Amino acid sequence: DIVMTQSPDSLAVSLGERATINCRSSQSVLYSSNNKNYLAWYQQKPGQSPKLLIYWASTRESGVPDRFSGSGSGTDFTLTISGLQAEDVAVYYCQQYYSTPLTFGGGTKVEIK
Amino acid sequence: QVQLQESGPGPVKPAETLSLTCTVSGGSISTYYWGWIRQSPGKGLEWIGYIYSSGSTNYNPSLKSRVTISVDASKNQFSLKLSSVTAADTAIYYCARVYHDSSGYFFDYWGQGTLVTVSS
C-alpha cells in the first residue's frame, strides 16, 4: 500500500496570510506514461463531508477559488492557500489514486490565528 | 448537480452485517463508478471499495473478505454490506461518485455521511 503522510498535523494562520500543507507518498505517484501525478486534495469543514479541491496534483476542481493551488511531483506535494479566509477553516486531506488500495493522508487542520 | 444520500437501519450489533444504501439524484448512475469511504477517529479516511454501473467491483484488500458492494441501476442506488462487524467498524460511512480518468479514481461528489455504531 502507498502510505500518505501529511505535515503539519495542524497550523494556525492569520487571515489573509498563506497556509502551506505538505503531503508525502511512500512511493512515487507519477505515472511516467502520461506524466500525471495521481494525487488529489480534499477539504472537510466541521460537520461536513469532504469536498474535492484539486486533482492531478494541480488541477483545481470547478468552482474552487483560485487562492487554492496544488504543486509537487513524484512523492512530495503541497497545497497552498494564498490569503486565508475565515471559511477556509477545515481539515485538508491528500489522496493518492496511483494504485489500489486508494489511500488518504491523516489530515491537516487549518485554523485562524 | 449530483446528490448522494446514505441510508441504513441504524446501530448494528457485533458479528452482524452492516447494510447501507446510497441513493443518487440529479444524474444517472450509469457510466460512472461509485464508491464507499469511511471515517473513524482512529484510522482517518479509509477507502472501502467501488463499483462500476455494470457491476464490476474493486475492494480494499483489508476489508475484501467482508465487503460486498452492489448496484441497482433501476433505482439509481448502490449498496454496501459489511459482514461480521466489530467495534472497529464504528465510523461515519460516506458514499461518493468516483471520477475515473486515465486509470485514476478519486471522489468528486460525496454524500453527507451516516454514522454507524457497532454496539451490543
Side-chain angles (χ1 to χ4, degrees), chain B residues 13-78:
Chain B
K13 291 183 168 53
E16 293 187 343
T17 295
L18 177 163
S19 295
L20 295 173
T21 295
C22 183
T23 301
V24 179
S25 58
S28 173
I29 206 167
S30 299
T31 71
Y32 282 98
Y33 287 80
W34 303 90
W36 290 96
I37 305 100
R38 69 182 183 180
Q39 185 173 32
S40 59
K43 296 189 72 175
L45 288 165
E46 182 179 26
W47 169 66
I48 299 170
Y50 58 70
I51 188 167
Y52 187 56
S53 52
S54 65
S56 62
T57 56
N58 192 342
Y59 300 140
N60 191 324
S62 68
L63 298 167
K64 187 174 184 177
S65 63
R66 299 193 291 130
V67 171
T68 302
I69 298 176
S70 58
V71 63
D72 186 339
S74 67
K75 296 182 179 179
N76 237 33
Q77 294 177 334
F78 62 104

Side-chain angles (χ1 to χ4, degrees), chain A residues 1-73:
Chain A
D1 299 6
I2 297 178
V3 177
M4 307 300 291
T5 303
Q6 288 185 233
S7 62
D9 292 336
S10 65
L11 74 161
V13 176
S14 300
L15 288 172
E17 295 300 306
R18 174 177 297 184
T20 302
I21 300 167
N22 302 302
C23 174
R24 175 168 289 175
S25 55
S26 60
Q27 65 187 74
S28 176
V29 297
L30 174 63
Y31 198 31
S32 56
S33 65
N34 59 13
N35 201 37
K36 287 186 173 183
N37 287 284
Y38 284 51
L39 189 285
W41 288 98
Y42 300 88
Q43 173 194 63
Q44 186 175 31
K45 294 183 178 181
Q48 297 184 16
S49 56
K51 171 191 172 184
L52 177 66
L53 291 179
I54 285 170
Y55 54 96
W56 300 127
S58 61
T59 301
R60 215 177 294 116
E61 172 71 331
S62 175
V64 173
D66 60 7
R67 64 179 180 273
F68 291 92
S69 62
S71 62
S73 184

Side-chain angles (χ1 to χ4, degrees), chain A residues 72-89:
Chain A
S73 184
T75 61
D76 290 282
F77 300 90
T78 299
L79 174 70
T80 301
I81 310 172
S82 303
L84 189 76
Q85 303 295 307
E87 62 263 33
D88 301 333
V89 168

